[in-house]
Amino acid sequence: MPVSEDKIRELLGEDRLPMFPGSEPRMLSVSSDNTMRMWNAKTGEEQAMFWQHKGSVLCLDADFENDRAVTGSIDHKLALWDLSEEGREEPLLRWFEGHRDPVSAVCVDWQNSRLLSGSCDHELRLWNIEEDEEGTKGSVASFEGHTGPVVCLDAEWESGQALSAGADHALRLWDLEIGKCTAKLEGHTAPVWCLSLDPECRKAVSGSVDRHLMIWDIRTKSCVRAMLQHNRPVTDLKVDWLTGQAMSCSVDRSLILWDLDAAEPLDKFEKHPGTVWCMDVDWVGRRMVTGAGPGDNKIYVWDFRDGYIDREIMGHEGSVWQLAVDWESAHKAYERAQGIGIMREED
């Protein structure tokens, strides 16, 4: 029989519900201490450390369901990792080499075993994770057009399009099938450090060293709204395109929740003593994790309905650059506890 929220409060002896009822989701973080680490997001316990990179690990993408992750590093390499307990002794599955400078961004099409990377060598590269039908693996295409380091990217694999940006201040839309830039979006006056592309590839949001977030109409190649609330560079952003909300973080140590339709802030969170570099947001559960540094080097687990910090996680010896949480397992555990979302085979 499902346990009611009131009963949970009674058992806990407090008003606040547990952050992860019935689940202990995994979380991955990468850092300037050259490691990727896996944590229990509920308890804060470190479960594993992956250390084979020879420099700061700058970016990350994870497939928790199949126990895989890809990282990119200042050592110019990408790595494919086995996250399973069986793979702990030899977790490194393979290297991807080809970039001439640090790898700063990665986005993976896990279903079709492809990944897209961006680098300080000004290029994007498309890779096969496994051998394709023609026996090809590794780098299969490169995309040139940026005149400075590529810092961020996002891909909509079903439509075959990707959006990238970086030190040259411009966003570029790419057709991954033909390997060509199909649109250039200009408006920022400083390097662009983060972006999000909507699933239909009609809109995008970007954040920049110029302190602005910009909302773009891809079809007209124009900025339709510019939002200024941070007083230092914007480092990361996450967008819920379904509800039109976004979360941004900054060198100013704050996070801001936005209403994109109104282009106005809804809330502001200020708890980190250092630069907030990254986050991962669960829009359904109104939870998020944030990573900071230098000096701070902590991960905070938040309930952003009221700004409550459920846990501070320490362990990295350098700035935390990117985070990924298995939110899906937390959602499924909650649904099981409520007796919903369960489909029997005979049904």
Side-chain angles (χ1 to χ4, degrees), residues 148 172 218 268 306:
R172 286 176 166 80
I218 300 293
K268 188 173 185 178
D306 59 1

Side-chain angles (χ1 to χ4, degrees), residues 74-345:
I74 202 170
D75 63 11
H76 307 182
K77 299 178 183 179
L78 294 114
L80 175 66
W81 304 93
D82 183 348
L83 303 178
S84 68
E85 291 187 14
E86 295 78 10
R88 294 288 168 81
E89 290 190 8
E90 295 185 9
L92 179 62
L93 297 175
R94 63 166 299 189
W95 293 109
F96 300 88
E97 300 183 67
H99 281 297
R100 302 182 303 277
D101 284 307
V103 180
S104 47
V106 65
C107 184
V108 182
D109 176 9
W110 294 104
Q111 183 175 354
N112 296 299
S113 296
R114 300 181 295 171
L115 70 87
L116 185 67
S117 59
S119 168
C120 294
D121 63 11
H122 306 186
E123 290 185 355
L124 285 80
R125 283 181 178 262
L126 184 65
W127 312 74
N128 281 336
I129 298 176
E130 309 291 345
E131 287 189 3
D132 62 16
E133 295 177 355
E134 299 177 356
T136 303
K137 62 180 180 181
S139 179
V140 295
S142 61
F143 306 93
E144 299 180 357
H146 281 288
T147 57
V150 179
V151 179
C152 51
L153 61 85
D154 194 9
E156 288 299 330
W157 295 101
E158 289 188 7
S159 67
Q161 297 188 79
L163 188 68
S164 62
D168 61 8
H169 309 183
L171 288 76
R172 286 176 166 80
L173 185 70
W174 304 88
D175 184 317
L176 297 178
E177 298 301 320
I178 64 175
K180 299 293 185 182
C181 176
T182 58
K184 182 180 180 182
L185 311 178
E186 296 180 288
H188 282 295
T189 58
V192 181
W193 280 1
C194 50
L195 57 79
S196 178
L197 178 64
D198 92 303
E200 296 181 349
C201 299
R202 295 180 178 181
K203 296 181 290 184
V205 181
S206 58
S208 168
V209 175
D210 66 15
R211 302 175 292 134
H212 288 81
L213 279 84
M214 290 189 173
I215 303 173
W216 302 87
D217 185 323
I218 300 293
R219 294 164 295 183
T220 62
K221 304 177 185 178
S222 62
C223 172
V224 294
R225 302 296 288 268
M227 303 179 291
L228 179 61
Q229 288 289 327
H230 288 293
N231 55 43
R232 298 195 68 187
V234 180
T235 53
D236 196 10
L237 67 87
K238 294 291 184 287
V239 177
D240 181 12
W241 291 104
L242 186 63
T243 64
Q245 292 189 354
M247 188 78 74
S248 61
C249 58
S250 168
V251 177
D252 67 13
R253 307 178 183 180
S254 74
L255 298 103
I256 295 178
L257 177 65
W258 299 88
D259 180 334
L260 295 181
D261 293 330
E264 294 289 341
L266 296 172
D267 210 341
K268 188 173 185 178
F269 310 97
E270 296 178 289
K271 296 289 179 67
H272 276 289
T275 294
V276 188
W277 290 111
C278 59
M279 73 188 106
D280 195 17
V281 179
D282 173 22
W283 296 102
V284 174
R286 309 306 279 181
R287 301 167 286 197
M288 66 179 173
V289 294
T290 56
D296 182 349
N297 304 338
K298 293 178 183 177
I299 300 167
Y300 286 178
V301 182
W302 303 72
D303 181 337
F304 67 84
R305 289 173 297 185
D306 59 1
Y308 175 77
I309 295 179
D310 182 74
R311 189 166 301 278
E312 296 182 17
I313 299 175
M314 295 180 288
H316 279 297
E317 298 174 3
S319 296
V320 180
W321 294 124
Q322 196 160 358
L323 292 159
V325 179
D326 185 9
W327 300 118
E328 187 62 29
S329 69
H331 296 160
K332 290 178 179 178
Y334 180 78
E335 290 175 357
R336 286 194 298 270
Q338 298 298 311
I340 60 175
I342 299 174
M343 181 68 74
R344 292 185 174 86
E345 188 173 334

Side-chain angles (χ1 to χ4, degrees), residues 14-126:
E14 57 184 27
D15 292 333
R16 181 171 293 279
L17 288 171
M19 187 71 77
F20 300 103
S23 68
E24 296 186 0
R26 291 177 292 175
M27 174 174 66
L28 292 173
S29 59
V30 295
S31 168
S32 56
D33 64 10
N34 302 359
T35 70
M36 176 175 72
R37 302 187 190 217
M38 185 159 62
W39 313 84
N40 181 319
K42 182 175 184 175
T43 66
E45 174 189 3
E46 183 178 318
Q47 298 176 326
M49 180 171 67
F50 308 83
W51 52 265
Q52 281 87 340
H53 279 295
K54 303 300 182 183
S56 297
V57 189
L58 303 177
C59 54
L60 159 72
D61 198 346
D63 175 13
F64 288 104
E65 183 177 1
N66 295 297
D67 292 315
R68 295 289 186 268
V70 171
T71 54
S73 169
I74 202 170
D75 63 11
H76 307 182
K77 299 178 183 179
L78 294 114
L80 175 66
W81 304 93
D82 183 348
L83 303 178
S84 68
E85 291 187 14
E86 295 78 10
R88 294 288 168 81
E89 290 190 8
E90 295 185 9
L92 179 62
L93 297 175
R94 63 166 299 189
W95 293 109
F96 300 88
E97 300 183 67
H99 281 297
R100 302 182 303 277
D101 284 307
V103 180
S104 47
V106 65
C107 184
V108 182
D109 176 9
W110 294 104
Q111 183 175 354
N112 296 299
S113 296
R114 300 181 295 171
L115 70 87
L116 185 67
S117 59
S119 168
C120 294
D121 63 11
H122 306 186
E123 290 185 355
L124 285 80
R125 283 181 178 262
L126 184 65

